[in-house]
Amino acid sequence: SVWAVVLSLVYSLVAHFICYQAIKNFKDMFIKAGMFGKDLNKTSEEKIPEGLGVVSGAMFLISCFLFIPIPFLDYSELQFTQFICALLSICCMIFLGFADDVLDLRWRHKLFLPTIASLPLLAVYFVSGGSTTIIVPIPLRPLLGYDLHLGVLVYIYMGMLAVFCTNAINILAGVNGVETGQSVIIGTSIAVFNVIEIARDQFAAKHLFSLYLILPFIAVSLALLRHNWYPSKVFVGDTLCYFAGMTFAVVAILGSFSKTMLLFFIPQVFNFLYSVPQLFGIIPCPRHRLPKFDRATGLLGMSYAKFSPDQMGPGGAALLKTLSFLRLAKVEWSPPSGKEKKAEISVNNLTIINYLLKFIGPTHERTLTIYIMTVQVVGTIIAFSIRYGFVRFFYDV
Ligand code: UD1
Ligand code: MG
């Protein structure tokens, strides 16, 4: 299997260069087909091709299909089936993601699509006798016992994992390079984790399986990142976000390391929890929450949602007061003044990017991306220290 890993690396390297070139060749066709967007953080009105994640996805699939015969020589039939179903789920997600980019689907679809795409994955987990029992963390054992049989809940958890991973990446976005950048860093973290576990001889077969999928994923995402980095020549579209999230969910589920995988999502988890009031309509959520571009200075600053008090859901006012008190958000109440001007509330859009800007002030877009990537890497370092350090307080290792 050493040779299979070496070959997987070679395949990935080739896929990287072909993918880089393919994006370059195809991007004008996207503009012709009406698939383009405007970079909201630039002064130019240039059309930027949108949805190029689909090229990366296609290259990933081709590379994986060509790779199938290689580990298959010493794979069992079951592992082969798992590999095919993993690709089927990812392929389905790329297809639905691209449909979203073309048709601009609504919010509820975004929750529905990954659930559908994860079905092949859940099916193969079932036929391969996937465990529905979890080991209880040590502190909870006096209460719950050593293990818990969760049955169908495990499948619901896995479906939700796919929904979370895909959308969590999609909502940490809006600055050149962040969607792909975070995907590359999370992918690399998973690859490093797989290699460590293979070296420790812990469930090596499962981690090898994950590695065969994650290496080509990193390769094609990196090719996309080179076009998407500041100043973006292409946008990745929701296709890439779905593709990336689904790939992570697939390898984590079939590799049985979903808790560790979620540790690599620390910034995304924070961003999601912070976003909850806007995502669930407690306070209004504008179409775009990306930072605000200041034409005069060329820097990015916090962006705000402005609305009248009666647009808030129940509990909105109390929530805003709490956020403001905890200094988690910048909130301003302007009372009605005169006849024309009604009362207005302004609160920064609740994203980790704006939260970062709250501390560092207006920042150049490229620098901001580098900061966000740094946060992601710090997240990975914390994840590894939890996984290999603090873990002994929770599980017997
Ligand atoms: C998600 C976010 C939204 C954010 C958007 C930006 C939530 C709930 N949704 O929406 O707040 O504004 O992503 O990606 O958090 N764009 C840029 N620069 C970039 C990347 C994107 O200007 O570096 C703009 C372009 O106009 C591009 C558009 O964003 O066409 C793509 O947005 P899209 O991916 O369709 O937005 P959502 O995923 O729905
Ligand atoms: Mg998006």
Side-chain angles (χ1 to χ4, degrees), residues 15-29:
H16 174 83
F17 290 110
I18 297 182
C19 185
Y20 179 81
Q21 196 57 40
I23 294 171
K24 203 174 185 167
N25 295 348
F26 282 118
K27 64 180 190 196
D28 293 333
M29 284 166 69

Side-chain angles (χ1 to χ4, degrees), residues 130-195:
S131 157
T132 53
T133 304
I134 58 155
I135 311 288
V136 176
I138 293 166
L140 296 176
R141 281 183 202 166
L143 233 70
L144 301 170
Y146 180 77
D147 54 10
L148 271 184
H149 303 276
L150 292 180
V152 75
L153 285 180
V154 167
Y155 289 90
I156 295 177
Y157 163 75
M158 294 189 301
M160 284 171 63
L161 192 70
V163 174
F164 174 76
C165 291
T166 48
N167 285 292
I169 294 177
N170 192 28
I171 65 173
L172 212 170
V175 180
N176 287 181
V178 282
E179 285 136 307
T180 12
Q182 62 186 306
S183 304
V184 168
I185 295 174
I186 297 173
T188 310
S189 311
I190 293 179
V192 171
F193 173 65
N194 292 149
V195 170

Side-chain angles (χ1 to χ4, degrees), residues 275-288:
S275 297
V276 160
Q278 286 194 310
L279 296 182
F280 295 100
I282 302 170
I283 61 173
C285 182
R287 168 66 185 91
H288 280 293

Side-chain angles (χ1 to χ4, degrees), residues 50 100-101 110 169-174 179 236-239 241 287-288:
E50 170 97 274
D100 180 5
D101 276 332
K110 301 200 187 230
I169 294 177
N170 192 28
I171 65 173
L172 212 170
E179 285 136 307
V236 299
D238 293 346
T239 314
C241 306
R287 168 66 185 91
H288 280 293

Side-chain angles (χ1 to χ4, degrees), residues 217-279:
F217 172 80
I218 298 171
V220 298
S221 310
L222 210 54
L224 187 55
L225 180 61
R226 287 167 64 196
H227 292 281
N228 183 233
W229 188 257
Y230 180 93
S232 291
K233 296 278 175 288
V234 310
F235 286 146
V236 299
D238 293 346
T239 314
L240 184 272
C241 306
Y242 286 144
F243 165 40
M246 198 58 172
T247 307
F248 299 149
V250 162
V251 298
I253 289 170
L254 294 178
S256 314
F257 58 89
S258 68
K259 291 193 290 299
T260 305
M261 197 271 298
L262 279 175
L263 286 177
F264 297 134
F265 267 73
I266 293 173
Q268 284 72 16
V269 170
F270 176 87
N271 188 52
F272 169 72
L273 294 176
Y274 190 47
S275 297
V276 160
Q278 286 194 310
L279 296 182

